[in-house]
Amino acid sequence: LCCQCGVPIPPNPANMCVGCLRAQVDITEGIPKQGTVHFCKQCERYLQPPGTWIQCALESRELLALCLKKIKASLSKVRLIDAGFIWTEPHSKRLKLKLTVQKEVINGAVLQQVFVVEYIVQSQMCEDCHRIEAKDFWKAVVQVRQKTVHKKTFYYLEQLILKHRLHQNTLRIKEIHDGLDFYYSSKQHAQKMVDFLQCTVPSRSKSSQRLISHDIHSNVYNYKSTFSVEIVPICKDNVVCLSPKLAQSLGNMSQICVCIRVTSTIHLIDPRTLQIAEIDGNTYWRHPFNSLFHPKQLEEFIIMDINRVHEKKKGAGAGARSNKHTLAEAWVRKTSELDTDHQYFCCTHLGHILNPGDLVLGFDLANCNLNDEFANKMNPQHIPDVVLIKKSYDRSKRQRRRNWKLKELERDREATDTDDERQYQDFLEDLEEDETIRKNVNIYRNADIPVESDTDDDGAPRISLAEMLEDLHISQDATGGEGAEMLT
């Protein structure tokens, strides 16, 4: 019999029934039944004392751990058996925890008790959101600049940043005339971006910092850091004139070369010998050179006759040759001079795609006024009359047939003009023509444009469906939509 109320019970060390035992001893004494949790409405994060803000979903394990830490000291005297959430209306600003605890009481009897702890969710703005609201939100900025007319390198860089998700930590991206500004909340994120840029494009960087405030009592300094990254001013399809010393060090190349690609290095080809070379950022800044022409100065030529050169004797100390190009000798005529008999002779690296009657874009060196320190000192006999750059196709037909698309960075733009659109189309055509660059870019299938048959194909390069990714569209129904039952 229970020693308090006389009710028959199974024997236990305390000789009491459960009701009398609970009346005598409260094992939840000293454990708070109410608490507060701080929540930032702007970024939807919870405060984990003393100063960490973490992302937690409602009724998640992370939120449960955060709530239990609030009463961790009080739970040290009892044994926690089970903990879980009791459902509360999401907008009620209340979180309810159902806890099951055990404790050894009189004469070694173990008592188990279930109770509820209620937390009130209080709104508090985190430091990051506070800075954004105060318009003083960035602590570091990366200024990426390239002093060129064409933005091909920037379009390529944008796709690399999207592929490697380096834009996730940016607070804001601002587009200006010569480049982009990336704003960050911490210097570490900015430094990571600078390291990425130096690995992906030939560039050089320097940094500076400005003192914003200084607490003399705690000796805490608050700085704003600026990282300046300058990309080499050479883009794809530029004609460049190397210094004699640099040309000799690259295997006795011709000084007049064509840039066929810009990745982590500048890829050059000699159109007269197919000799190729790669120049990294450090080499470029030691021996700088400039582009001889702007892309707007490209002229259209028509191939009158072309002969492929299969054997070309290598010069002394010559470097590697390209296997993807074919050397050819061509007679060309400007499409603007078709009524005359004036023809130009040139050597070209595009022998594998050019045939008589094809249209090709190139630069006319015979009738131009070169303003370059290295080109002016060259022997005129070593300067070619024409340098052919790429085969010309019908642009409007290529745009209609393009069944793929690229993603873009969300950024504050200045007013865009038609020239920007033309440059972007040039970049898309470069992706179709160059498989090496395409490997580093995420290309998505555009479902709005149907796949055409190849019967009306004019020979323009195209991207195969195997190289495209399916763009992910998550509809409202797929995630359950608003008011759907929570799956546990």
Side-chain angles (χ1 to χ4, degrees), residues 205-223:
S205 67
K206 56 183 177 181
S207 62
S208 63
Q209 54 186 15
R210 182 162 57 97
L211 182 65
I212 303 301
S213 61
H214 172 211
D215 187 350
I216 58 172
H217 301 292
S218 58
N219 206 28
V220 172
Y221 292 83
N222 182 18
Y223 288 105

Side-chain angles (χ1 to χ4, degrees), residues 217-237:
H217 301 292
S218 58
N219 206 28
V220 172
Y221 292 83
N222 182 18
Y223 288 105
K224 277 194 173 182
S225 303
T226 302
F227 295 89
S228 177
V229 179
E230 185 182 357
I231 302 173
V232 296
I234 304 295
C235 288
K236 185 181 184 296
D237 298 338

Side-chain angles (χ1 to χ4, degrees), residues 81-114:
I81 300 299
D82 188 33
F85 283 104
I86 298 175
W87 188 87
T88 53
E89 209 280 322
H91 302 289
S92 64
K93 300 283 186 185
R94 297 289 184 275
L95 297 173
K96 289 185 178 180
L97 253 65
K98 183 181 179 183
L99 303 180
T100 305
V101 293
Q102 284 182 354
K103 188 179 180 183
E104 195 174 298
V105 289
I106 305 166
N107 296 332
V110 177
L111 186 62
Q112 181 170 309
Q113 198 167 331
V114 179

Side-chain angles (χ1 to χ4, degrees), residues 241-255 279 283 286-289 374 377-378:
C241 183
L242 309 178
S243 65
K245 187 176 179 182
L246 180 60
Q248 186 181 10
S249 69
L250 295 175
N252 290 328
M253 287 182 77
S254 300
Q255 287 182 246
I279 299 176
T283 308
R286 281 201 305 273
H287 306 281
F289 51 86
F374 303 128
K377 295 175 184 175
M378 282 181 68

